[in-house]
Amino acid sequence: DLRQPLLKDSWIDLPRMTISIAKKNLAISQYNLQLKMMQIVQSTQNAYYDLVAAEDNIKVQEKALELADRAYNNAKERVRVGTVQPLTEKSAQAALAGIRADLLAAQRQRDFVENVLKSLLSDHFEAWHNVTVHPAEKLLAIPQTYNLQASWLNGFTYRPDFNLARTEIERQGIKLKFAQNQMFPTLDITASIGRSSVDQSLTGAFGDISSGKDPEWSIGFVLNVPFTFAQERANVKIARIQLQQLELTLQQLRESILVSIDDSVKQAQIAYERIIAQREARSYNEIALEAEMKRMEAGTVTSYEVLQFQRDLTRSRGLEIQALADYNKALAHLYFNEGTILRRNGIELKVK
């Protein structure tokens, strides 16, 4: 028996629509997985850069504590010999205590960002609780060459959310195609062919069938025209409106990608310029502090004045470290917006 639709259910029917939509749903789930992986990679990179910065800040505070202790001992000795007032010693002691507090805060910050990184690296925090994570790399400021047009093209090619939106449009297009096909009347061509036997014995019946003694065949058409297509027309209208909404959403997403990548490029450029500026400021503060240290040893300035320069240097060193972390995180954010963050980290998603 054969039945071939000529109008309704001809180029698409419910089983074929179901299979096509299932394929699109599979692609959508893959894009969602890829997007989740990108978010995890970016969060892990940011946590890693924060951990490196936190460890560098601890080193900065330890140097500041060492210098403050030196200034305090100098003030204490000068008070002992009577060259300065006792208030100078108290001021240096207060500054020393403040720097110790800053060092404790820096150590606490390191523990915090380390726990953030551990939570991203493993689902079993208890097993990682007593493990100390030490970064194997330093924060570097590697200059980059930016090509905005190429970054935009990467975004439209690799961004999983953009590909997901396009796939949703394709899925809705299948639904619209099916709804439009249901607007046609049913016109099917039917055909059948067979053999029969009237012999009452099983052997005789099989013999008649194999020899084709009593062949049967038929051919015809089936036409079914409903009185109204009101429901079908409503389904087409709904499917078309939903398709238009998805197309507008895709256009909005396209504009959002253009803006976000442009912002990310500018953010990375500004972050690199901040590193240069903070590096210069730190260098000048180091020169100034070195000069003040010599003057303190010569007895022309007090330890309190030296500690003022030391605080400026500590602050500039911390700002430089933060600028380095911000620059590396800005690059990670740019690669995320481009959709290339997985490829740049050697991660490939293969679906079997």
Side-chain angles (χ1 to χ4, degrees), residues 221-275:
F221 292 88
V222 176
L223 177 63
N224 184 0
V225 182
F227 287 111
T228 175
F229 287 94
Q231 182 63 49
E232 287 78 4
R233 285 195 296 269
N235 291 339
V236 170
K237 185 177 181 179
I238 293 172
R240 184 176 289 116
I241 291 175
Q242 291 176 341
L243 179 61
Q244 292 172 350
Q245 291 175 340
L246 291 173
E247 289 173 343
L248 290 174
T249 301
L250 180 64
Q251 180 62 27
Q252 292 175 346
L253 180 58
R254 184 180 185 279
E255 294 298 316
S256 175
I257 291 174
L258 292 173
V259 174
S260 64
I261 291 178
D262 183 64
D263 288 342
S264 297
V265 169
K266 293 177 180 177
Q267 182 181 2
Q269 291 173 333
I270 293 174
Y272 184 78
E273 293 174 359
R274 280 181 51 214
I275 293 174

Side-chain angles (χ1 to χ4, degrees), residues 83-290:
T83 57
V84 297
Q85 298 294 326
L87 182 61
T88 302
E89 178 185 356
K90 297 300 181 183
S91 299
Q93 189 176 14
L96 180 62
I99 294 174
R100 284 200 182 100
D102 292 339
L103 175 59
L104 292 174
Q107 292 171 340
R108 176 65 189 92
Q109 178 64 20
R110 188 217 175 278
D111 293 339
F112 173 77
V113 296
E114 183 187 31
N115 284 340
V116 173
L117 183 59
K118 287 179 179 178
S119 67
L120 291 167
L121 294 177
S122 173
D123 292 332
H124 305 284
F125 179 78
E126 185 177 0
W128 283 70
H129 181 261
N130 294 324
V131 176
T132 302
V133 179
H134 291 291
E137 301 174 353
K138 298 295 182 181
L139 291 173
L140 302 176
I142 302 175
Q144 303 291 322
T145 301
Y146 304 98
N147 187 330
L148 188 59
Q149 296 295 330
S151 295
W152 282 343
L153 181 59
N154 285 335
F156 299 141
T157 304
Y158 301 113
R159 282 274 295 252
D161 53 345
F162 189 75
N163 291 327
L164 186 151
R166 288 194 295 194
T167 305
E168 287 181 338
I169 290 177
E170 294 171 358
R171 182 179 64 180
Q172 187 60 33
I174 295 172
K175 294 180 180 179
L176 177 59
K177 182 180 178 180
F178 175 77
Q180 290 173 333
N181 178 259
Q182 300 305 298
M183 289 283 293
F184 290 89
T186 299
L187 177 59
D188 297 349
I189 182 172
T190 62
S192 64
I193 186 172
R195 294 176 179 181
S196 62
S197 173
V198 295
D199 197 310
Q200 296 183 358
S201 66
L202 182 61
T203 304
F206 276 118
D208 291 345
I209 291 174
S210 61
S211 63
K213 182 178 180 180
D214 298 308
E216 295 179 354
W217 63 271
S218 66
I219 187 170
F221 292 88
V222 176
L223 177 63
N224 184 0
V225 182
F227 287 111
T228 175
F229 287 94
Q231 182 63 49
E232 287 78 4
R233 285 195 296 269
N235 291 339
V236 170
K237 185 177 181 179
I238 293 172
R240 184 176 289 116
I241 291 175
Q242 291 176 341
L243 179 61
Q244 292 172 350
Q245 291 175 340
L246 291 173
E247 289 173 343
L248 290 174
T249 301
L250 180 64
Q251 180 62 27
Q252 292 175 346
L253 180 58
R254 184 180 185 279
E255 294 298 316
S256 175
I257 291 174
L258 292 173
V259 174
S260 64
I261 291 178
D262 183 64
D263 288 342
S264 297
V265 169
K266 293 177 180 177
Q267 182 181 2
Q269 291 173 333
I270 293 174
Y272 184 78
E273 293 174 359
R274 280 181 51 214
I275 293 174
I276 302 302
Q278 294 297 339
R279 188 169 291 168
E280 291 179 355
R282 184 258 304 163
S283 177
Y284 295 147
N285 282 323
E286 286 177 344
I287 295 173
L289 178 61
E290 185 178 356

